[in-house]
């Protein structure tokens, strides 16, 4: 499913979380607005995925493979 400006909901929240793994500072609000559009455009450059500032299936898959820079901490010890 292609996500683009004006879309909203849980899929957009997932996209925003993935974009934040690349360094975006998006509010996870589920609204594909201007900030999310700009983050998608930046992600396309970083991931070498040319295209429109919308999140197609290929971009979403590529974002899923980006490691979390701040993984959850386990118990000390």
């Amino acid at each position: 499913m292609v996500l683009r400006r004006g879309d909203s909901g849980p899929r957009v929240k997932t996209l925003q979380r993935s974009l934040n793994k690349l360094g975006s500072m998006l509010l996870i609000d589920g609204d594909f607005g201007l900030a999310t559009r700009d983050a998608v455009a930046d992600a396309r450059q970083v991931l070498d995925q040319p295209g429109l500032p919308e999140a197609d299936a290929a971009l979403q898959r590529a974002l899923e493979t980006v490691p979390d820079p701040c993984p959850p901490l386990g118990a000390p010890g």
Side-chain angles (χ1 to χ4, degrees):
M1 171 181 201
V2 176
L3 298 172
R4 57 180 58 96
R5 188 158 179 240
D7 289 344
S8 61
R11 287 179 177 256
V12 175
K13 284 184 179 184
T14 300
L15 173 65
Q16 290 168 328
R17 285 186 190 96
S18 296
L19 291 166
N20 282 348
K21 291 190 302 185
L22 284 177
S24 296
M25 304 268 303
L26 296 171
L27 176 65
I28 309 300
D29 61 1
D31 177 33
F32 197 128
L34 292 174
T36 302
R37 183 202 65 190
D38 292 346
V40 166
D42 292 343
R44 285 194 168 282
Q45 287 184 329
V46 169
L47 298 172
D48 195 27
Q49 296 249 340
L52 298 172
E54 53 189 35
D56 58 15
L59 180 66
Q60 291 178 56
R61 280 192 304 273
L63 286 167
E64 289 172 5
T65 67
V66 174
D68 190 343
C70 300
L73 298 175

